[in-house]
Amino acid sequence: MAVKININPFIAYALKRFGIMMLTFSVALFLIFILPRMIPGNPLASTIFRLTQGGITSPEQLKATERMLLETFKLYEPLHIQFVDFISKLIHGDLGTSILFYPLSVADLIALYLPWTLLLMIPAVSLSWFIGNYIGVVAAMNRNKFVDKVVLTIFMILQGVPPYVLGMYLILLLAVYMPIFPTGGGWPPGMVPRLSVEFVLAYLKHYILPFLSIFISSLGGWGLSMRSIAVQELASDYMEYTIRGVGLSQKKVVNYLFKCSALPQIVGLAIVLGWSVAGSVLTEIVFGYPGIGMIFWRAINAQDYPLIQGIFIIIIATLLLANYISELLFAYIDPRARYAYVGVQ
Amino acid sequence: MISSISSTIIRLFRIKKFAIGLLILLVVLFIGIVGPAIYEVSPTRTIGRRYVPPGEKYPLGTDALGRDVLAQFLHGIRGSLYVGAIASAISLSLAIFLGTIAAVFGGLVDKIVMTLSEILLLIPSILLMMLLAAYLPERSLWIVAVVIGITSWAGWCRGFRSRTLSILSSEFINLAILSGASRLNIIIRDIVPIIAPYVLAAFAMLFSYSIMAEVGLTLVGVGMTKDVTLGLMLYVAQIYANISQGIWWTIVPPSITVTLIFLSLYMIATSIDELFSYR
Amino acid sequence: MNSLAIGEIMSILDVRNFRAYYFTKAGTVKAVDGVNLSIDKKTIIGIVGESGCGKSTLAKALSFNVEPPLKIVKGDIVIDGIKINDMTTDEIRRKILGIKVALIPQSAMNALVPTVKIRSFIKDVLKEKTGYTTLEIFELAVKRFKELNLPIEALDMYPFELSGGMRQRVLIAIATLLNPSLLIADEPTSALDVSTQKMVLETLYDIYRRGLVKSIIFISHDIATVRQIVDEIVVMYAGKFVEKGSTEEMINEPLHPYSKGLIFSILTPELIVRERVRKAKEVLLKGEPPSLINPPSGCRFHPRCPYAMDICRREEPPMIEVERNRFVSCWLYVKR
């Protein structure tokens, strides 16, 4: 009759998903490794060629760059040796040295810029998760009424507007025509990041617009998916019985509804947070916000391949990890899913 | 069957969301197809001073390189529509082909296709696109479209696989086979009507996704370098910091159009989905 | 059936000329169309009929589960002397549900919220209705679970950790924690296998026997199940009651042609004289229940009735008391 949850199937599931994650990561690493080397005209070789032809002024720097590029990519070695070298360096946390920001290492650059990206994305995404989901539940409770229709329309439009487009309009409106906020950057030029009231205030002023553009544009997605989940939940036998059969109070019903519907959304949140780095690239570009996205953009425009490669690896690693965590989280949090994985009665 | 199709179409049009979406899409399509033919100004040649505001001479002004923005806009719509059409055709064909063979053959083929699509789903296609595009030095409309196309089929492939599986196992197909209907007949009479709306919805979604992806790729700097698209317009505007200078005419038309295309296709796809999933 | 007998307790339920219709685009579905039902003593009443006869709609209406397109067109619902029709949804929720009337829904297996432990569910439900402290609520729950032979551990489980039958019994216990006067059970056993069915029926009967509820209305399509616990059976057809009597009388001597068909078709033949079975087969429910948008004129059963007469097509038969507490609505029994 009653079943005690046995932990073993959960671990089996965790291991299986871990295997798939590692397989995917290997495939991604392989792609990151092989693509620049396979594409006709070898872009790496041509970059090195371009560099040796000029572009970098001091001969000393040129030599160093050339040596470093060869060191990073080892193009003179056979492919399989290159691959082994690539992997062993990666395991030691060596992502090479940036061309653009020479002599900074890629790992250092990422450590320097990643916090700013996270500082932007985590609060914006989390807040929009809460508010979007809450509005979604309220819309579902009032489904097909006026409130619901208004919310649906607004959310649908929001969903169609990418954060960077919204960002462009926010700049036009609130920085150019009504110069309340600065048009871009992370802090005023000349200021150095440190923990002082002056800096924090200046930073916040630069922070608000990119924050808003990510916050507002993610509202729609959360709200719409939450609404449809909650509407399905409302039609379920148990919500029907809870509301009309035993007559639970409205407040508790919203609570229950949120609890039942939010579980899949928590997984979504984990995934989107994992997306932070990838998802903020365009917004950072539009706002000139000094995060990973910004240096990624500069790396691409300067064809700084070690940096491009390093950021790719970081993005994919965080994504896969977030995805893995969210899968486990889902299996662990949702008693229904946990039950499904356990699979016995 | 004809009458059931026409009644379905009538019901589809009764959904306001569908009608509005289709109207917007048709207007954009019309502008993209006819526009460049009527307005015969080159989108790539410098024709005047930079940043001339919209006026009589240049209806939408000029951009950072003194090029006519309206011409760019019209050609950009056309270019973006091309990218959308090519990319979605590629990924849709891949999705249908791989999904169907996975379902029909099963076994090893199924396993390979499923693992492949699972991996592709885990690595977001926009990243794969960036990776591919970052290392391609010259990027024309075709290259960008192909890159988008071959990286975005995974989710839909799974959809087609499960749909094919459920059709293959369904009662009426067995009945049709038993009653001696020809294979072609079965495909036309029974399978196509079931799959068709899904294909349509998938196409609409992929189309809008591809157009968005092109804008994203190009804006990051790994997209279009040669042909004019809405993404390239935004890229140029971004590079020359048009927004902070308040030069709205290079930003507003392409960004609004991209959003409208996305919204219209999204509305169409979701209405098709709603109509057919509730039957 | 509309006579108010004098009992030692006042009327538990009184419903007169009750009509509840669905207003749909296709037309008005007269699902419950003029029903009288009063319960004035401790009893278990079974309401039986084919699916589509309006019995579930009646259950919905009696448990105030009325949402558009369903609307109560006519008739008051009086429970324990309280007229429900005038109360707001919120008042009903706070003062009636679980206190005067409790419902065991058709889908009782899936009626408990899967993400909430039984214990917290009970707390959330009872807190507002009673104002008890959490501790008092748990004491009550533990006591009740013990009384009904339910495992106390179930309180600390999620619904999915319980078997289907256990979920159902727990639900019955929760629904009746506050000793409501009336329990409405809408096909509570239809999704269960026979042995589980028996356990659930036992729990239901246990609740009744211990006086935790005064009366039970047991709605089902399955007479074989119903007769195991009910005192009286009401047969419903096309939105109306056609016959009512004690379980024994109804099983042995159904009067209405429809009841005959329904009852003889389900009960084991050994119980019944063969001749009767043959006769019953004639009646036996050829065709479908009629559309409730355009019900047949006169007696609603006449298109399917082998004994149909002229008057059946023209006039609706009255409900007559053929014996004490034995009612039937059929022209065959009207003395003219």
Side-chain angles (χ1 to χ4, degrees), chain C residues 137-300:
Chain C
I137 291 172
F138 289 153
E139 275 169 2
L140 179 63
V142 167
K143 187 174 146 251
R144 184 59 58 88
F145 269 50
K146 275 184 185 153
E147 260 181 305
L148 298 175
N149 282 325
L150 292 166
I152 307 292
E153 307 88 68
L155 282 172
D156 284 311
M157 291 185 180
Y158 290 102
F160 60 85
E161 294 177 79
L162 306 169
S163 68
M166 185 57 72
R167 253 178 274 170
Q168 210 120 335
R169 293 170 61 199
V170 165
L171 187 83
I172 294 171
I174 296 175
T176 54
L177 270 176
L178 297 176
N179 299 358
S181 307
L182 181 64
L183 179 66
I184 297 166
D186 184 10
E187 304 262 11
T189 57
S190 56
L192 302 172
D193 61 78
V194 180
S195 60
T196 326
Q197 234 175 43
K198 199 165 161 256
M199 297 235 290
V200 172
L201 286 181
E202 271 165 15
T203 306
L204 268 179
Y205 192 73
D206 209 17
I207 285 199
Y208 172 70
R209 192 176 52 85
R210 288 169 189 273
L212 305 178
V213 298
K214 286 186 193 138
S215 298
I216 299 178
I217 295 179
F218 192 118
I219 292 173
S220 177
H221 66 280
D222 181 8
I223 290 195
T225 309
V226 170
R227 68 179 289 232
Q228 294 176 39
I229 65 166
V230 303
D231 305 321
E232 286 170 287
I233 290 179
V234 177
V235 177
M236 193 166 177
Y237 184 79
K240 288 177 176 297
F241 288 169
V242 294
E243 191 174 353
K244 181 192 172 190
S246 73
T247 305
E248 202 175 317
E249 287 167 336
M250 290 292 289
I251 297 294
N252 293 331
E253 193 68 57
L255 298 176
H256 195 283
Y258 176 71
S259 314
K260 287 184 182 167
L262 193 69
I263 289 166
F264 291 157
S265 69
I266 290 161
L267 295 181
T268 42
E270 297 95 291
L271 288 175
I272 312 158
V273 186
R274 268 183 196 285
E275 175 65 10
R276 279 209 196 139
V277 176
R278 199 185 55 74
K279 264 199 178 156
K281 289 232 167 98
E282 287 169 24
V283 193
L284 196 59
L285 315 182
K286 286 175 208 144
E288 298 279 307
S291 145
L292 294 177
I293 294 179
N294 276 314
S297 60
C299 171
R300 292 187 175 180

Side-chain angles (χ1 to χ4, degrees), chain A residues 61 64 72 76 94 96 121 148 187 201 252:
Chain A
Q61 196 188 346
T72 308
Y76 45 84
D94 179 5
M121 292 302 283
D148 182 39
W187 43 82
L201 285 178
K252 286 277 177 210

Side-chain angles (χ1 to χ4, degrees), chain A residues 17 24 35-36 39 43 156 159-160 164 168-169 171 176-177 183 275 282 285 297 300-301 305 312 315 319 323, chain B residues 118 122 124 126-127 131 135 212 215 219-222 235 238 243-244 246 248 252 255-256 262-263 266-267:
Chain A
R17 295 312 300 179
T24 310
L35 275 174
I39 281 164
M156 205 179 73
Q159 207 196 20
Y164 54 90
M168 290 173 174
Y169 284 96
I171 297 175
V176 177
Y177 294 124
T183 55
W275 259 97
L282 288 166
I285 291 171
W297 192 57
I300 282 175
N301 285 325
Y305 284 115
F312 269 136
I315 290 179
L319 255 171
N323 197 66
Chain B
E118 173 138 24
L122 281 175
I126 192 88
L127 273 184
L131 192 58
Y135 294 117
M212 277 298 199
V215 174
L219 208 53
V220 173
V222 293
Y235 176 65
Q238 175 60 34
I243 308 164
S244 48
W248 56 269
V252 174
S255 63
I256 283 193
F262 181 85
L263 271 181
Y266 177 80
M267 285 157 105

Side-chain angles (χ1 to χ4, degrees), chain A residues 111-319:
Chain A
L112 198 63
Y113 284 95
L114 188 62
W116 297 109
T117 296
L118 298 181
L119 204 58
L120 172 64
M121 292 302 283
I122 292 178
V125 170
S126 312
L127 193 68
S128 88
W129 186 89
F130 269 109
I131 295 183
N133 281 340
Y134 186 78
I135 299 176
V137 168
V138 171
M141 297 273 293
N142 296 295
R143 66 190 172 288
N144 298 332
K145 289 187 193 146
F146 181 71
V147 188
D148 182 39
K149 280 178 184 157
V150 171
V151 168
L152 266 185
T153 313
I154 293 175
F155 276 6
M156 205 179 73
I157 292 170
L158 280 184
Q159 207 196 20
V161 183
Y164 54 90
V165 169
L166 190 67
M168 290 173 174
Y169 284 96
L170 284 177
I171 297 175
L172 274 179
L173 200 69
L174 297 174
V176 177
Y177 294 124
M178 283 184 278
I180 304 168
F181 298 104
T183 55
W187 43 82
M191 207 179 238
V192 182
R194 66 198 145 88
L195 254 175
S196 69
V197 177
E198 191 197 6
F199 176 78
V200 170
L201 285 178
Y203 172 70
L204 278 179
K205 222 175 168 191
H206 286 77
Y207 180 84
I208 287 174
L209 287 188
F211 173 87
L212 277 183
S213 70
I214 288 168
F215 168 72
I216 296 174
S217 67
S218 344
L219 274 181
W222 294 126
L224 286 182
S225 56
M226 185 59 152
R227 182 190 171 275
S228 79
I229 296 171
V231 164
Q232 273 176 31
E233 287 287 334
L234 273 176
S236 70
D237 291 334
Y238 47 86
M239 285 318 288
E240 170 89 358
Y241 185 64
T242 307
I243 296 169
R244 321 211 108 248
V246 299
L248 199 65
S249 68
Q250 187 88 353
K251 230 171 78 191
K252 286 277 177 210
V253 168
V254 172
N255 227 325
Y256 277 33
L257 194 57
F258 202 95
K259 215 172 163 188
C260 289
S261 324
L263 289 166
Q265 296 288 82
I266 289 177
V267 179
L269 179 65
I271 293 176
V272 172
L273 283 178
W275 259 97
S276 292
V277 183
S280 72
V281 172
L282 288 166
T283 312
E284 287 183 20
I285 291 171
V286 167
F287 284 97
Y289 180 87
I292 285 283
M294 195 63 214
I295 58 166
F296 185 56
W297 192 57
R298 294 184 60 184
I300 282 175
N301 285 325
Q303 291 184 297
D304 182 350
Y305 284 115
L307 188 51
I308 295 175
Q309 179 180 292
I311 293 177
F312 269 136
I313 293 173
I314 287 297
I315 290 179
I316 289 188
T318 50
L319 255 171

